[in-house]
Amino acid sequence: MKKITFIIAVLVLSFGQLKAQTKQQLSNKNSEKMDTSKEHYTFQLSDKVIRQKVSFKNRYGITLIGDLYLPKNAGNKKWSALAISGPFGAVKQQSSGLYANQMAERGFIALAFDPSYTGESGGEPRNLASPEINTEDFSAAVDFLGLQKNVDRNKIGIIGICGFGGFALNATAIDKRVKAVATTSLYDMTRVMSKGYNDSVTPEQRSKTLETLGEQRWKDAENEKPAAGPRILPETLKGDEPQFVKEYFDYYRTPRGFHVNSLNSNGAWLTTNPISFMNMPILAYVKEISPRPMLLIAGENAHSRYFSEDIFKVANEPKELIIIPNTVHVDLYDKVDVIPFDKLENFFNANLK
């Protein structure tokens, strides 16, 4: 049961097979006071960029809230545009907004948005994820961008971060309007929820997880509301957690990346959240992204690196895999000196035409 708890609680990974690391001191950032304002952003807006709050609906009628980032010199020109979301459990004031800010500074109109059931976006119950609906969220963002008078609807791409890298690839496979896609620190959430980290979950463990989820449904039905699972990240660390849990903590639970609306910073998924992920391999059609180009970016020391490498093996050309030396998973969330923004700029400039 310990492994099942980890799967649900900490980004639904099978952490039980990872060795605990030796105790270490938390970052000095932890002693700083975290900003709990909902208006707080974890990065500074570029003085070359304008940010506008926007809203749009997806195909299921859920209202999504996003931030539209535009170059200050936008004028009446038709610009290339990017839809950006992620990581899984994060909000637009965190990594996706930072990416949008950087890409707008480089000459793109960029939309960072909160997914359905998350942050400022609509959807009930709260704190829920769905492979289908979160894939649709990207296509709805494409709808919105393509209706803007200063966007060339034939020049729209997607950037997906962490678990939304998987949804970004799935959206690109099914939505031919998307001309190019890039992912950073890719996670396939359907794979990790159904098979565990490094595909380590046995058929018996999977069956037990499904039985547990079924029992939880009885409880939710009796209570007429879904139960919340355990916190994704603890208030404090004991020191013996797996190294990558410490890395998540150093982003989400410190002033570096904390946001009050972020599940990873401040909350929990519904206990039954994994159900829709268990039987739905969202990247089964990744080959159909071709002939549109794909760029996969991962950290050399990231625990998630294998997701990018495995997708690269099965995807058709044109495709490119970049491994960033001496970096871990969360380094690609916010470290602007590490994230290859120049490469992203060149990739989309070359392929959104």
Side-chain angles (χ1 to χ4, degrees):
M1 291 300 295
K2 181 179 180 182
K3 181 176 290 185
I4 295 170
T5 300
F6 275 135
I7 290 174
I8 295 174
V10 190
L11 295 184
V12 208
L13 303 180
S14 180
F15 294 160
Q17 296 195 359
L18 298 179
K19 287 186 176 181
Q21 307 295 312
T22 56
K23 190 171 183 178
Q24 65 177 28
Q25 294 294 322
L26 298 180
S27 166
N28 290 336
K29 295 179 182 178
N30 295 8
S31 62
E32 300 173 15
K33 186 177 180 180
M34 290 186 288
D35 191 333
T36 58
S37 166
K38 292 183 178 180
E39 288 73 36
H40 166 64
Y41 286 79
T42 61
F43 58 93
Q44 291 294 318
L45 181 67
S46 168
D47 59 9
K48 302 175 182 177
V49 171
I50 298 171
R51 179 169 59 209
Q52 301 173 350
K53 184 68 67 68
V54 299
S55 67
F56 53 98
K57 288 189 176 182
N58 68 16
R59 200 162 51 89
Y60 296 97
I62 298 171
T63 298
L64 303 182
I65 305 299
D67 287 325
L68 190 65
Y69 291 76
L70 305 97
K72 274 192 174 178
N73 62 340
N76 296 319
K77 174 184 172 182
K78 291 278 191 178
W79 295 79
S80 298
L82 301 169
I84 307 173
S85 198
F88 190 73
V91 290
K92 63 186 177 301
Q93 292 90 344
Q94 295 173 311
S95 185
S96 61
L98 180 147
Y99 273 67
N101 183 56
Q102 288 286 326
M103 297 309 290
E105 195 175 57
R106 288 165 166 78
F108 298 86
I109 290 178
L111 172 64
F113 63 91
D114 287 342
S116 295
Y117 310 106
T118 305
E120 293 182 275
S121 289
E124 294 287 343
R126 305 304 294 164
N127 304 343
L128 181 67
S130 161
E132 157 63 6
I133 294 176
N134 292 146
T135 295
E136 160 61 22
D137 289 342
F138 267 117
S139 286
V142 172
D143 293 342
F144 173 83
L145 288 170
L147 294 179
Q148 304 311 300
K149 293 181 179 179
N150 53 356
V151 168
D152 185 337
R153 66 170 55 177
N154 295 310
K155 297 180 179 180
I156 298 176
I158 284 178
I159 298 176
I161 307 159
C162 183
F164 274 78
F167 301 136
L169 294 177
N170 193 35
T172 305
I174 203 168
D175 192 337
K176 299 293 187 180
R177 300 174 303 169
V178 180
K179 304 305 181 185
V181 60
T183 70
T184 58
S185 291
L186 170 68
Y187 252 93
D188 176 353
M189 296 309 301
T190 55
R191 178 179 176 184
V192 77
M193 288 199 202
S194 63
K195 298 182 179 181
Y197 184 66
N198 278 321
D199 301 339
S200 59
V201 168
T202 67
E204 293 77 18
Q205 290 168 335
R206 173 182 164 84
S207 179
K208 183 62 177 177
T209 298
L210 293 174
E211 289 176 6
T212 301
L213 290 169
E215 288 301 316
Q216 185 61 50
R217 288 194 67 132
W218 284 125
K219 296 175 183 177
D220 290 353
E222 290 166 355
N223 294 328
E224 297 184 344
K225 66 177 182 178
R231 279 187 65 98
I232 294 171
L233 288 171
E235 292 281 353
T236 59
L237 292 180
K238 297 177 181 178
D240 61 350
E241 293 84 0
Q243 181 59 34
F244 69 97
V245 175
K246 295 177 181 179
E247 292 161 3
Y248 280 130
F249 189 97
D250 189 53
Y251 179 75
Y252 286 110
R253 289 294 303 163
T254 73
R256 172 185 168 191
F258 178 88
H259 195 277
V260 67
N261 283 352
S262 169
L263 279 165
N264 296 335
S265 288
N266 208 38
W269 294 105
L270 297 182
T271 301
T272 55
N273 192 54
I275 288 175
S276 62
F277 290 79
M278 299 297 283
N279 285 7
M280 193 178 295
I282 57 173
L283 299 184
Y285 292 93
V286 72
K287 291 179 183 290
E288 294 187 5
I289 292 176
S290 177
R292 294 163 295 160
M294 174 194 307
L295 173 63
L296 307 168
I297 303 170
E300 178 185 21
N301 301 320
H303 67 281
S304 57
R305 174 177 168 174
Y306 74 98
F307 289 110
S308 295
E309 292 177 328
D310 287 356
I311 288 300
F312 183 75
K313 290 174 186 175
V314 301
N316 289 333
E317 297 284 356
K319 58 184 178 179
E320 185 175 1
L321 172 65
I322 297 176
I323 303 298
I324 308 299
N326 304 314
T327 58
V328 297
H329 181 88
V330 300
D331 287 339
L332 299 182
Y333 285 6
D334 68 332
K335 293 189 175 180
V336 295
D337 57 335
V338 170
I339 302 166
F341 283 113
D342 289 344
K343 175 63 182 179
L344 286 166
E345 176 185 355
N346 293 334
F347 171 77
F348 285 111
N349 276 334
N351 295 298
L352 298 182
K353 59 182 182 180

